[in-house]
Amino acid sequence: MIRERALRIVLVVVGLFFVAFAYIIFQPQTSKVMQMFLGVYATLGVFLLIAVRNPAANRSLIAFTAWSSLVHAAIMAVQSIHADSEREHLVAAAALFSVIGFLLIALSPVARPQSQNRK
């Protein structure tokens, strides 16, 4: 029960964080590529907020969010090695996305065994 409540809280926080990216999309200095990228994250945030109602039914969405966050963090960590001027931002963002990924994996709903009488 505590684990599911913690997962719901993480889903709300991460969902709202991702939805907040929509604000950046409409800033004039935001590049077209960044607008598309953040648009995907904002959409993912909406679906995470919907998943709060029934996390067990949305295991694949939660898993996708977790693993894609870890991949995103790994890419930013590697980029930080080569980008001296952006190193601090990339390392901070990599740490944040790593925390998101690991929290979602740790709190992910347990798979229920499928009934063998299912037709």
Side-chain angles (χ1 to χ4, degrees):
M1 188 69 169
I2 294 173
R3 179 180 173 161
E4 184 176 341
R5 185 168 175 81
L7 174 61
R8 288 175 190 254
I9 291 168
V10 170
L11 289 173
V12 168
V13 170
V14 173
L16 290 173
F17 176 66
F18 286 175
V19 168
F21 287 153
Y23 173 77
I24 301 169
I25 294 169
F26 298 106
Q27 300 305 308
Q29 70 274 14
T30 306
S31 71
K32 302 270 189 246
V33 171
M34 187 59 80
Q35 287 174 337
M36 289 186 284
F37 176 72
L38 294 176
V40 171
Y41 267 98
T43 305
L44 179 57
V46 170
F47 280 89
L48 290 175
L49 292 172
I50 293 169
V52 170
R53 286 185 272 161
N54 189 356
N58 293 283
R59 288 182 69 244
S60 60
L61 174 68
I62 294 167
F64 170 78
T65 306
W67 288 105
S68 65
S69 294
L70 291 174
V71 168
H72 188 164
I75 291 169
M76 286 189 292
V78 170
Q79 288 177 340
S80 73
I81 296 168
H82 303 291
D84 293 335
S85 62
E86 295 294 318
R87 182 166 291 136
E88 289 177 17
H89 295 102
L90 288 169
V91 169
L96 177 63
F97 278 92
S98 293
V99 168
I100 289 170
F102 286 125
L103 275 175
L104 289 174
I105 288 170
L107 298 172
S108 193
V110 178
R112 295 182 183 160
Q114 293 185 353
S115 173
Q116 293 184 357
N117 296 332
R118 193 171 169 200
K119 295 181 182 180

